[in-house]
Structures are given as structure tokens and as C-alpha cells.
Amino acid sequence: MDDLLALFPTVEQFTATPRVIAITDLRAWRGQAWRLYPLVSPALRERAGRLNNPLERERRLLAYALHRMVVALALGRDADRVEVGRMASGMPMVAGLPNVATSLSHADDFLAIAVARDVGLVGVDIEAMDRVALLDGLAADVLHAQECAGDEALIDVWVRKEAVLKAIGSGLSIDMNTFLSRQGIAVNGLPAATGLSAWSLRVFAGRARLGFSAATPDGVLVRLDPGTVDVVSLRERVAWI
């Protein structure tokens, strides 16, 4: 475990703030897979094993391992004392800690993880910009009648709404076009999301869009790479948009 901790420099902001969103490029972690895989529980290994694509299996295992490590860092605990599982709905949860909310998203090699302690729900979604074409023709499924596709990129609306749905644990069982999610404004039309707002950010030099949903943007955004971290205030980062 000490060898593994060398990959994650201790950063006070992880535990000094109740809300952490971490992002990383999974390609940077492939050489460390042998260290990380032991963090993946048998249940999540079995879940990843259902994927037919070997690259997707690798990505999923790395995502699960990093998720557990980020939760541990955010809680100031050893990773072997933290268990990240899944509810029946598939929503991530931290065993024995109902005051901790967490969310996970990956698109290709981009990974985003959110952890919140004692501050309510949190959701996160990340999408690669080269997936924008996949959204063509989906505006009617994404946008509420009071939202306009010309106001901003559809992908920004998508990641915000997906983050909201992940925060409440519904996934895509609720149609995106049934509620409003404007940048930094309380979600409207979705009772389960009362009190939540959502934001979309450009990350990885504009190669991806990050959406996160929470009551406020108070917390930190952490860019993780093996052996290094970059930390910025979420509120400050939102102000750059």
C-alpha cells in the first residue's frame, strides 16, 4: 500500500473541502495497473468482466480502482478501509457511510470522480469532444421546451443533465427533455433534484466536457496523474467559463 500511495501525493485540499471532483486520463495509469487492480473488489471485477471489449475492461478496472483511491483520499482513510460498491440501481455508494455521496463517469480514456461529505448529493459526467457527432439529431431528446440549442453546445447541456441524473441515481430512466438544467441555476422540473444546480466545464485543453451537479460549486477540481496532482477551486474554475 505504501508503494501505491507514492502515486498519490498527499494534498491537504482533498480532506480540507467537503466536495472533490477528480479528473484524469486513464492512459497515464496503464503502466500502474498491477498496483491498482488489487483495489477492485470481486463484485466490481465480475461487473467489468462482463464487457466483451478488452480495452473497455481495462478502462473499467482502472476507473474502479481510481474511484476507490480518490474516495479514500477525500475521506483521509487508507484505501483498504474504504469499500465502494453499487446500489441496486447501479449508483455508486460508500459502504457504511450514508453521509458520503459519490459519482463516477468515463468516456473513452477520460475519467471523472466526485466525492461529497456531509453536503448532500453529487453527480458527475464527462464526455469526449470527439463524441459530439453522436449527439447529432438528439436535441429533441435532450432539450426542454424552454431550452434552445443555439444558446450553447448541446454537449454542455448533456453533461449537466447527465450529472443531475447521476446525482439522484436515476440514470437515463428519466428523459432529459422533461427538466431544465441551465448553467449554475437550480434544476427545474425534476422534484428529486430539488436543491441541485449543475455546471459544465471545458477540461483537458478543451478535448472533453465535464458536467457536475451539486448544491453549490464549493469544493476543488483535482487533475490526477501518477505522482502529481493539480488542484484548483471549483468555484474559481466555474468563474473561468
Side-chain angles (χ1 to χ4, degrees):
M1 185 60 69
D2 290 342
D3 187 43
L4 180 61
L5 287 174
L7 298 175
F8 302 90
T10 300
V11 176
E12 182 181 349
Q13 290 96 324
F14 264 107
T15 53
T17 179
R19 189 178 291 113
V20 174
I21 296 179
I23 58 173
T24 192
D25 188 327
L26 290 172
R27 290 172 294 186
W29 296 92
R30 285 178 182 150
Q32 309 298 331
W34 63 277
R35 287 188 175 115
L36 293 168
Y37 283 178
L39 292 176
V40 184
S41 68
L44 292 180
R45 281 178 179 268
E46 193 276 332
R47 188 184 180 97
R50 300 173 198 162
L51 299 170
N52 293 324
N53 186 310
L55 178 58
E56 281 304 308
R57 283 199 302 272
E58 177 191 58
R59 287 168 170 164
R60 189 68 62 88
L61 288 167
L62 285 172
Y64 287 153
L66 289 167
H67 190 186
R68 183 176 181 182
M69 196 70 206
V70 168
V71 170
L73 290 170
L75 298 180
R77 298 188 176 196
D78 293 335
D80 57 6
R81 295 183 56 236
V82 171
E83 181 182 347
V84 179
R86 292 292 183 278
M87 299 180 185
S89 64
M91 183 180 182
M93 48 80 70
V94 183
L97 295 175
N99 64 314
V100 178
T102 188
S103 184
L104 173 72
S105 175
H106 80 87
D108 298 333
D109 287 304
F110 296 125
L111 175 69
I113 297 162
V115 186
R117 293 177 288 114
D118 300 311
V119 287
L121 301 174
V122 68
V124 70
D125 186 55
I126 195 165
E127 295 292 343
M129 283 303 295
D130 59 12
R131 290 187 173 189
V132 168
L134 298 178
L135 294 180
D136 288 347
L138 292 181
D141 297 320
V142 176
L143 299 175
H144 185 273
Q146 296 179 33
E147 293 170 328
C148 177
D151 290 341
E152 60 182 327
L154 188 61
I155 193 169
D156 290 314
V157 183
W158 176 280
V159 294
R160 281 203 305 274
K161 291 193 171 188
E162 179 73 357
V164 169
L165 295 175
K166 287 188 174 183
I168 64 175
S170 70
L172 293 176
S173 65
I174 294 176
D175 292 333
M176 288 185 175
N177 60 11
T178 60
F179 66 96
L180 286 158
S181 178
R182 297 190 174 104
Q183 181 84 345
I185 298 175
V187 175
N188 185 272
L190 189 57
T194 298
L196 287 176
S197 297
W199 295 262
S200 56
L201 304 174
R202 295 170 178 83
V203 291
F204 296 104
R207 292 181 295 126
R209 291 291 191 271
L210 172 73
F212 73 94
S213 179
T216 72
D218 296 310
V220 293
L221 177 67
V222 181
R223 169 72 188 268
L224 286 175
D225 286 304
T228 63
V229 295
D230 292 314
V231 181
V232 65
S233 160
L234 263 176
R235 188 172 287 276
E236 177 184 350
R237 185 66 178 81
V238 167
W240 295 350
I241 299 302

